[in-house]
Amino acid sequence: MKKTALYPWHEQAGAKIIDFGGYLMPVQYSGIIAEHKAVREAAGLFDVSHMGNFYVRGVRAGEFLQYLTTNDLAKVSDGEAQYNLMLYTDGGVVDDLIVYRIDAETYFLIVNASNSPKDYAWIQKHIGAFEGVSIEDRTDELSLVALQGPMSGAILHKVFPDEDFSSLASFRFRKVFYNGTELLIARTGYTGEQGVEICLPNGSALEFWSALMEAGEEYGIQPIGLGARDTLRLEMGYSLYGHEIDSTVNPLEARLKWVVKMEKGPFIGKEACRQVELNPRYAVAGFSLDGRALPRQHFRLYNSDRQEIGTVCSGTLSPTLQEPIGTCSILREYSRPGTHVMVEIRGTMHQGVIRALPFVQR
């Protein structure tokens, strides 16, 4: 099992540790509901250093990544980032990722932890056709922390009093120095709250994490585990690989058509997307349930005639709404908000309704 550079801090803080993506990671500290509330109302600090980090370099690096991914990287300038997808030729999702353009010949990719080895192999498989382009895996050398919540800006200003991050727009990033170490700070996140994600060398991670925690003390900052990270993203309707998307799911049937630019040049999986675009059968939708029973992944959804119409992708008790919510992959004709559905939970049918996403407006 791998450990992040911040593992000693988590252990000392008494976090509950689990295996996630091959890493020993904190799932909770004080508790999922309290941590969730801290991010929505104040600020939370996440260790997401298990995510994969790759550099792609070369004169044709942009051309290569434009072919490898579905979004239009031609619209991305230096200092900008873009949410993206890599697809198999049949249209299934290899992974979702964020691509950062450092300059015309240098790109930084952050991919999902459990997919990192697979992603690296997939990129290596296709990179040879683009002469001079190389990939470098920096996963074991870099840490990634996320500072999220309405007080995140004030906390960041305390640590960097000479920097103005208020002008840093969504999906923009800049490089700054902390005690002589270069950091990449991006206006990105997975919670729906304002905040940043910060990439830095492992050797500086503990010192920087401690500085953020200290600066945030007066604002109510809390360390946040993977449990609250999941409830926060689910309230926003964000996709999680292995749940809303995977190798069997086409993004056009998973609320991700906006990431697939059919008008750009060739990309892997384009023809499969074109076929689905002509006749999409499924959609990913939100839903809520009456009562307190919790929907879980793979539970089945039914219509009023008790015909199976879909399956649950993710489910939880929403800490903000205090009701069971979830996402589902469902036949398109049942995906309209307000449609009544039933979810089978341990042999019992529970009444529910399709809901618009996100569940929580920020």
Side-chain angles (χ1 to χ4, degrees), residues 28-103:
Q28 64 181 59
Y29 301 84
S30 59
I32 291 173
I33 293 175
E35 292 168 31
H36 182 110
K37 188 176 179 181
V39 176
R40 289 278 183 250
E41 298 177 0
L45 193 60
F46 303 72
D47 177 10
V48 286
S49 306
H50 59 313
M51 305 287 279
N53 308 304
F54 308 145
Y55 274 96
V56 175
R57 295 185 173 94
V59 174
R60 300 181 68 190
E63 181 188 355
F64 168 59
L65 291 171
Q66 184 78 316
Y67 169 71
L68 189 75
T69 62
T70 62
N71 212 333
D72 190 359
L73 279 167
K75 296 180 179 178
V76 177
S77 302
D78 296 357
E80 295 181 350
Q82 186 185 71
Y83 179 70
N84 225 316
L85 298 167
M86 294 187 294
L87 302 185
Y88 294 107
T89 52
D90 66 1
V93 180
V94 179
D95 205 1
D96 62 337
L97 67 158
I98 297 182
V99 180
Y100 301 76
R101 176 171 157 148
I102 310 297
D103 58 48

Side-chain angles (χ1 to χ4, degrees), residues 173 309 355:
F173 68 90
I309 55 173
R355 296 269 290 269

Side-chain angles (χ1 to χ4, degrees), residues 2 4 21 33 42 50 64 85 110 139 167 178 251-252 258 351 358:
K2 293 182 177 181
T4 73
I33 293 175
H50 59 313
F64 168 59
L85 298 167
I110 295 184
T139 304
S167 62
Y178 176 78
L252 273 61
W258 63 276
Q351 297 292 329

